[in-house]
Amino acid sequence: MNKQLDIIRQIAQQKMLPLYFHKDQAVSINVLKALYEAGIKAVEYTNRGAEAVDNFKALRKVVNESMPGMLLGIGTVKTIADAEQFIAAGADFIISPVVYPPVAKVVQDAGLLWIPGCLTPTEIFTAEMNGAKMVKIFPGSVVGPSYISAIKELFPGLLFMPTGGVDTTAESIKEWFDNGVCAVGMGSKLISKGIMQNQEYDKLTTLTKVVLEILSNIK
């Protein structure tokens, strides 16, 4: 349980969770290095392709060898088989796009943090009843920041992290935090296809530092 709380603390302290997938292993590793160089200490790699498991194992090796303090999670985990596979591969936490109690059980039985994706109050409640301490509001673009403040007091024990619909601008980020989120998921707005395609890792490090600076000014 302590490990779960430590990871929640780390994500909440960082105030954002970068997430990405690339089928090329070298690109995946270099993106992680660029994020780490910017000061990121928690990342979600997403299970979005046939290469995800092997790439994740390679990332785990790099983290173990040269990235002290980095928490490596896996996202888009929908089945028990996927959960078991990534737990065996050394995931620090597991994120699902949906609320599926059998996956929650497998993850929590392994002593890991499970962060499910939710949209409706019923889904959020189901997640809470299945042990979630933090939920991903996904896709955030559908509901917008005001949705968080509208539902937040129904779930005083839960932390909210929107993913999708969060821009890298100070205005966008501030609006989400003003409405009560503890962190924001940052995907393609931060780690764009262009950055990965053109291997612009320095650009990614610079942009990530800018976003971290914006976040550090948020109360």
Side-chain angles (χ1 to χ4, degrees):
M1 188 60 195
N2 283 355
K3 188 178 181 189
Q4 294 177 33
L5 292 175
D6 285 346
I7 292 171
I8 286 174
R9 215 171 285 129
Q10 178 98 348
I11 294 169
Q13 201 176 334
Q14 186 169 283
K15 295 196 176 94
M16 78 150 155
L17 187 65
L19 57 124
Y20 73 102
F21 168 77
H22 197 281
K23 60 184 183 179
D24 186 284
Q25 196 167 105
V27 172
S28 295
I29 289 169
N30 284 321
V31 167
L32 191 67
K33 286 179 174 173
L35 293 168
Y36 188 72
E37 199 178 317
I40 292 294
K41 291 291 176 67
V43 167
E44 172 193 342
Y45 193 67
T46 55
N47 179 30
R48 294 275 176 98
E51 305 83 358
V53 178
D54 285 342
N55 286 359
F56 187 84
K57 287 174 181 172
L59 292 173
R60 181 75 262 173
K61 191 168 183 288
V62 171
V63 168
N64 291 350
E65 287 169 1
S66 60
M67 297 184 184
M70 173 64 95
L71 297 169
L72 185 62
I74 184 75
T76 321
V77 173
K78 296 180 290 188
T79 66
I80 289 173
D82 281 346
E84 287 173 342
Q85 191 164 219
F86 284 104
I87 289 165
D92 288 312
F93 57 94
I94 289 185
I95 298 184
S96 299
V98 294
V99 182
Y100 185 47
V103 166
K105 186 175 186 327
V106 168
V107 175
Q108 290 165 348
D109 284 352
L112 299 183
L113 177 68
W114 170 67
I115 303 174
C118 306
L119 202 58
T120 66
T122 300
E123 288 167 355
I124 296 166
F125 177 70
T126 305
E128 188 175 41
M129 289 297 98
N130 282 278
K133 302 283 181 283
M134 176 187 271
V135 296
K136 174 173 90 162
I137 298 298
F138 173 79
S141 54
V142 172
V143 289
S146 61
Y147 181 69
I148 304 290
S149 56
I151 57 160
K152 196 172 155 53
E153 52 196 49
L154 297 173
F155 307 100
L158 278 183
L159 296 170
F160 293 88
M161 175 175 68
T163 300
V166 185
D167 218 324
T168 54
T169 64
E171 293 75 21
S172 171
I173 291 167
K174 189 175 185 308
E175 195 180 357
W176 282 105
F177 278 89
D178 285 349
N179 279 280
V181 305
C182 78
V184 288
M186 284 263 183
S188 57
K189 296 280 169 71
L190 177 69
I191 309 161
S192 67
K193 275 186 182 152
I195 278 177
M196 291 194 282
Q197 225 160 9
N198 305 320
Q199 302 188 15
E200 298 171 310
Y201 305 120
D202 290 348
K203 185 176 173 182
L204 175 58
T205 297
T206 303
L207 180 57
T208 305
K209 283 179 175 171
V210 169
V211 174
L212 284 172
E213 180 64 25
I214 291 168
L215 290 163
S216 74
N217 292 321
I218 285 170
K219 296 285 181 284

